[in-house]
Amino acid sequence: MFGTQDLALFIVSGLLLNITPGPDSLLIMSRSASQGWRAGSAAALGVGTGTLVHVLAAALGLSTLLAASSTAFTVVKLVGAAYLVYIGLALLLRRGASAAAAAPAAPAAPVAPLSWRRIWFQGFLTNVLNPKVAVFFLAFVPQFIAHDAPNKALAFIVLGCIFNFNAMLWCHFLAVSSALASRRVQASHRVTLWLNRAIGAMFLGFGLRLALSPR
């Protein structure tokens, strides 16, 4: 179909790859836990939009240029790493515990929730600024395109859309399950604060690992 091959294997492999935790999954889970499943879904849709950009770029040959150019890869990698570090620092510095400790009897001031548009944009940038996603599509998807496919670019786009659709199913499952788990736990402000710090530290780790990773 459309010049693809081993479609069942592609779907199973794609689902297994999506289950592997990374910055995208972590962002969805953190937004769902703090603002509910709709916020997590907004982050997931942003991730899906970023994936579509990678798919179209790979189909048009732009990702090939990124993979071949050391300078382009390094620039995109450092920008993506800086953004992950920025998110990590924002979570680490979000409403320090000193104010709560200074006046424990005073009610904690609510943290203003992020708009769904901003959350979508966070998901989009987290995905689209990761050059390893572009290189991944170049390495993974062509294995499932028949050598005699009449239109290899179209086959690439079809496979990329199938991969993204399955990814969205998993990402929205993460959004809903994370929101339900957060409701059941009903963590105190102190626990929530340390959870944000832990997630922020993980984002810092992802950013530093991306920045220090080789080509």
Side-chain angles (χ1 to χ4, degrees):
M1 182 178 66
F2 299 106
T4 64
Q5 62 183 7
D6 300 325
L7 190 57
L9 178 61
F10 175 81
I11 292 174
V12 173
S13 301
L15 285 172
L16 293 175
L17 289 168
N18 281 311
I19 292 174
T20 304
D24 294 340
S25 300
L26 193 61
L27 179 66
I28 294 167
M29 294 171 66
S30 65
R31 291 306 172 207
S32 290
S34 61
Q35 290 185 227
W37 68 269
R38 291 181 178 83
S41 291
L45 291 174
V47 169
T49 308
T51 300
L52 285 178
V53 171
H54 283 296
V55 170
L56 293 175
L60 296 175
L62 298 178
S63 291
T64 305
L65 176 63
L66 180 64
S69 172
S70 177
T71 301
F73 184 92
T74 301
V75 169
V76 176
K77 180 184 73 170
L78 292 178
V79 172
Y83 185 70
L84 292 177
V85 170
Y86 164 76
I87 293 180
L89 289 175
L91 287 170
L92 283 172
L93 300 176
R94 191 178 185 182
R95 197 171 165 1
S98 58
V111 179
L114 298 178
S115 67
W116 292 352
R117 180 178 179 180
R118 185 174 176 183
I119 294 173
W120 175 90
F121 197 58
Q122 282 186 340
F124 174 75
L125 289 182
T126 299
N127 183 275
V128 82
L129 291 178
N130 189 345
K132 289 191 172 184
V133 177
V135 176
F136 159 77
F137 276 110
L138 285 177
F140 178 68
V141 175
Q143 301 177 53
F144 300 92
I145 299 176
H147 69 279
D148 57 348
N151 191 329
K152 289 184 170 58
L154 177 60
F156 199 109
I157 292 174
V158 169
L159 289 172
C161 289
I162 293 173
F163 180 91
N164 200 25
F165 176 78
N166 292 331
M168 287 299 94
L169 292 178
W170 170 250
C171 288
H172 282 85
F173 169 77
L174 275 183
V176 174
S177 59
S178 299
L180 290 176
S182 177
R183 284 184 181 180
R184 292 198 175 193
V185 172
Q186 293 184 347
S188 66
H189 172 71
R190 185 178 295 275
V191 174
T192 303
L193 179 64
W194 282 104
L195 180 61
N196 279 336
R197 288 179 175 177
I199 294 175
M202 293 178 69
F203 265 105
L204 281 177
F206 280 126
L208 293 175
R209 187 175 69 176
L210 178 60
L212 298 176
S213 63
R215 281 272 299 147

mmCIF file of all heavy atoms in Angstrom, residues 7-28:
data_model
loop_
_atom_site.group_PDB
_atom_site.id
_atom_site.type_symbol
_atom_site.label_atom_id
_atom_site.label_comp_id
_atom_site.label_asym_id
_atom_site.label_seq_id
_atom_site.Cartn_x
_atom_site.Cartn_y
_atom_site.Cartn_z
ATOM 1 N N LEU A 7 4.061 -3.589 7.080
ATOM 2 C CA LEU A 7 3.337 -2.548 7.796
ATOM 3 C C LEU A 7 3.037 -2.955 9.244
ATOM 4 O O LEU A 7 3.131 -2.127 10.161
ATOM 5 C CB LEU A 7 2.039 -2.207 7.068
ATOM 6 C CG LEU A 7 1.278 -0.973 7.554
ATOM 7 C CD1 LEU A 7 2.166 0.261 7.494
ATOM 8 C CD2 LEU A 7 0.020 -0.764 6.719
ATOM 9 N N ALA A 8 2.680 -4.225 9.462
ATOM 10 C CA ALA A 8 2.374 -4.682 10.824
ATOM 11 C C ALA A 8 3.597 -4.553 11.727
ATOM 12 O O ALA A 8 3.503 -4.104 12.871
ATOM 13 C CB ALA A 8 1.878 -6.133 10.797
ATOM 14 N N LEU A 9 4.755 -4.939 11.196
ATOM 15 C CA LEU A 9 5.998 -4.809 11.972
ATOM 16 C C LEU A 9 6.307 -3.349 12.258
ATOM 17 O O LEU A 9 6.767 -2.999 13.353
ATOM 18 C CB LEU A 9 7.152 -5.458 11.211
ATOM 19 C CG LEU A 9 8.537 -5.377 11.866
ATOM 20 C CD1 LEU A 9 8.538 -6.065 13.219
ATOM 21 C CD2 LEU A 9 9.597 -5.987 10.948
ATOM 22 N N PHE A 10 6.041 -2.484 11.291
ATOM 23 C CA PHE A 10 6.262 -1.054 11.484
ATOM 24 C C PHE A 10 5.402 -0.513 12.616
ATOM 25 O O PHE A 10 5.878 0.250 13.464
ATOM 26 C CB PHE A 10 5.961 -0.312 10.178
ATOM 27 C CG PHE A 10 6.033 1.186 10.305
ATOM 28 C CD1 PHE A 10 7.249 1.845 10.270
ATOM 29 C CD2 PHE A 10 4.872 1.940 10.463
ATOM 30 C CE1 PHE A 10 7.315 3.231 10.394
ATOM 31 C CE2 PHE A 10 4.932 3.313 10.585
ATOM 32 C CZ PHE A 10 6.147 3.961 10.549
ATOM 33 N N ILE A 11 4.128 -0.913 12.637
ATOM 34 C CA ILE A 11 3.214 -0.423 13.669
ATOM 35 C C ILE A 11 3.647 -0.892 15.051
ATOM 36 O O ILE A 11 3.697 -0.109 16.010
ATOM 37 C CB ILE A 11 1.772 -0.878 13.360
ATOM 38 C CG1 ILE A 11 1.269 -0.166 12.099
ATOM 39 C CG2 ILE A 11 0.849 -0.585 14.537
ATOM 40 C CD1 ILE A 11 -0.091 -0.646 11.627
ATOM 41 N N VAL A 12 3.977 -2.183 15.167
ATOM 42 C CA VAL A 12 4.408 -2.720 16.462
ATOM 43 C C VAL A 12 5.699 -2.050 16.924
ATOM 44 O O VAL A 12 5.835 -1.642 18.089
ATOM 45 C CB VAL A 12 4.583 -4.253 16.385
ATOM 46 C CG1 VAL A 12 5.190 -4.779 17.674
ATOM 47 C CG2 VAL A 12 3.242 -4.927 16.115
ATOM 48 N N SER A 13 6.655 -1.910 16.005
ATOM 49 C CA SER A 13 7.932 -1.273 16.358
ATOM 50 C C SER A 13 7.717 0.179 16.775
ATOM 51 O O SER A 13 8.327 0.660 17.744
ATOM 52 C CB SER A 13 8.894 -1.337 15.168
ATOM 53 O OG SER A 13 9.137 -2.659 14.777
ATOM 54 N N GLY A 14 6.839 0.873 16.053
ATOM 55 C CA GLY A 14 6.562 2.267 16.390
ATOM 56 C C GLY A 14 5.933 2.420 17.757
ATOM 57 O O GLY A 14 6.281 3.330 18.518
ATOM 58 N N LEU A 15 5.004 1.527 18.105
ATOM 59 C CA LEU A 15 4.380 1.585 19.427
ATOM 60 C C LEU A 15 5.409 1.350 20.530
ATOM 61 O O LEU A 15 5.413 2.046 21.552
ATOM 62 C CB LEU A 15 3.263 0.541 19.520
ATOM 63 C CG LEU A 15 1.969 0.878 18.763
ATOM 64 C CD1 LEU A 15 1.025 -0.315 18.777
ATOM 65 C CD2 LEU A 15 1.288 2.099 19.361
ATOM 66 N N LEU A 16 6.288 0.386 20.321
ATOM 67 C CA LEU A 16 7.322 0.105 21.326
ATOM 68 C C LEU A 16 8.269 1.289 21.481
ATOM 69 O O LEU A 16 8.679 1.633 22.601
ATOM 70 C CB LEU A 16 8.102 -1.152 20.943
ATOM 71 C CG LEU A 16 7.318 -2.466 20.993
ATOM 72 C CD1 LEU A 16 8.178 -3.616 20.479
ATOM 73 C CD2 LEU A 16 6.854 -2.758 22.420
ATOM 74 N N LEU A 17 8.593 1.934 20.372
ATOM 75 C CA LEU A 17 9.483 3.094 20.436
ATOM 76 C C LEU A 17 8.802 4.274 21.141
ATOM 77 O O LEU A 17 9.438 5.023 21.884
ATOM 78 C CB LEU A 17 9.910 3.505 19.026
ATOM 79 C CG LEU A 17 10.890 2.550 18.332
ATOM 80 C CD1 LEU A 17 11.003 2.888 16.855
ATOM 81 C CD2 LEU A 17 12.260 2.622 18.991
ATOM 82 N N ASN A 18 7.496 4.430 20.934
ATOM 83 C CA ASN A 18 6.782 5.533 21.577
ATOM 84 C C ASN A 18 6.677 5.343 23.080
ATOM 85 O O ASN A 18 6.623 6.322 23.839
ATOM 86 C CB ASN A 18 5.377 5.666 20.971
ATOM 87 C CG ASN A 18 5.397 6.382 19.635
ATOM 88 O OD1 ASN A 18 5.997 7.439 19.499
ATOM 89 N ND2 ASN A 18 4.749 5.800 18.633
ATOM 90 N N ILE A 19 6.610 4.084 23.518
ATOM 91 C CA ILE A 19 6.503 3.805 24.951
ATOM 92 C C ILE A 19 7.785 4.176 25.685
ATOM 93 O O ILE A 19 7.762 4.485 26.883
ATOM 94 C CB ILE A 19 6.141 2.321 25.169
ATOM 95 C CG1 ILE A 19 4.713 2.064 24.674
ATOM 96 C CG2 ILE A 19 6.271 1.914 26.615
ATOM 97 C CD1 ILE A 19 4.298 0.615 24.699
ATOM 98 N N THR A 20 8.918 4.165 24.972
ATOM 99 C CA THR A 20 10.189 4.524 25.598
ATOM 100 C C THR A 20 10.117 5.950 26.135
ATOM 101 O O THR A 20 9.803 6.886 25.389
ATOM 102 C CB THR A 20 11.335 4.427 24.578
ATOM 103 O OG1 THR A 20 11.361 3.121 24.021
ATOM 104 C CG2 THR A 20 12.675 4.722 25.241
ATOM 105 N N PRO A 21 10.382 6.171 27.423
ATOM 106 C CA PRO A 21 10.241 7.526 27.999
ATOM 107 C C PRO A 21 11.278 8.499 27.451
ATOM 108 O O PRO A 21 12.398 8.126 27.128
ATOM 109 C CB PRO A 21 10.438 7.283 29.505
ATOM 110 C CG PRO A 21 11.238 6.025 29.590
ATOM 111 C CD PRO A 21 10.797 5.174 28.425
ATOM 112 N N GLY A 22 10.872 9.739 27.333
ATOM 113 C CA GLY A 22 11.749 10.799 26.854
ATOM 114 C C GLY A 22 11.180 12.151 27.235
ATOM 115 O O GLY A 22 10.199 12.241 27.983
ATOM 116 N N PRO A 23 11.771 13.244 26.735
ATOM 117 C CA PRO A 23 11.286 14.588 27.094
ATOM 118 C C PRO A 23 9.823 14.817 26.729
ATOM 119 O O PRO A 23 9.092 15.473 27.477
ATOM 120 C CB PRO A 23 12.208 15.516 26.291
ATOM 121 C CG PRO A 23 13.433 14.707 26.028
ATOM 122 C CD PRO A 23 12.976 13.291 25.897
ATOM 123 N N ASP A 24 9.387 14.286 25.585
ATOM 124 C CA ASP A 24 7.993 14.483 25.179
ATOM 125 C C ASP A 24 7.032 13.861 26.196
ATOM 126 O O ASP A 24 6.076 14.508 26.647
ATOM 127 C CB ASP A 24 7.752 13.851 23.801
ATOM 128 C CG ASP A 24 8.530 14.548 22.701
ATOM 129 O OD1 ASP A 24 8.938 15.701 22.903
ATOM 130 O OD2 ASP A 24 8.737 13.939 21.639
ATOM 131 N N SER A 25 7.295 12.610 26.555
ATOM 132 C CA SER A 25 6.426 11.920 27.520
ATOM 133 C C SER A 25 6.440 12.628 28.872
ATOM 134 O O SER A 25 5.397 12.776 29.520
ATOM 135 C CB SER A 25 6.883 10.467 27.691
ATOM 136 O OG SER A 25 6.817 9.768 26.469
ATOM 137 N N LEU A 26 7.610 13.057 29.282
ATOM 138 C CA LEU A 26 7.736 13.713 30.578
ATOM 139 C C LEU A 26 6.966 15.021 30.622
ATOM 140 O O LEU A 26 6.311 15.345 31.620
ATOM 141 C CB LEU A 26 9.214 13.960 30.886
ATOM 142 C CG LEU A 26 9.562 14.350 32.312
ATOM 143 C CD1 LEU A 26 9.162 13.253 33.285
ATOM 144 C CD2 LEU A 26 11.049 14.645 32.438
ATOM 145 N N LEU A 27 7.004 15.774 29.527
ATOM 146 C CA LEU A 27 6.262 17.036 29.477
ATOM 147 C C LEU A 27 4.764 16.778 29.566
ATOM 148 O O LEU A 27 4.039 17.470 30.297
ATOM 149 C CB LEU A 27 6.594 17.783 28.185
ATOM 150 C CG LEU A 27 5.866 19.115 27.988
ATOM 151 C CD1 LEU A 27 6.299 20.133 29.033
ATOM 152 C CD2 LEU A 27 6.102 19.663 26.587
ATOM 153 N N ILE A 28 4.283 15.787 28.832
ATOM 154 C CA ILE A 28 2.856 15.457 28.855
ATOM 155 C C ILE A 28 2.423 15.052 30.259
ATOM 156 O O ILE A 28 1.389 15.509 30.774
ATOM 157 C CB ILE A 28 2.554 14.332 27.848
ATOM 158 C CG1 ILE A 28 2.788 14.821 26.423
ATOM 159 C CG2 ILE A 28 1.125 13.818 28.007
ATOM 160 C CD1 ILE A 28 2.829 13.719 25.393
#
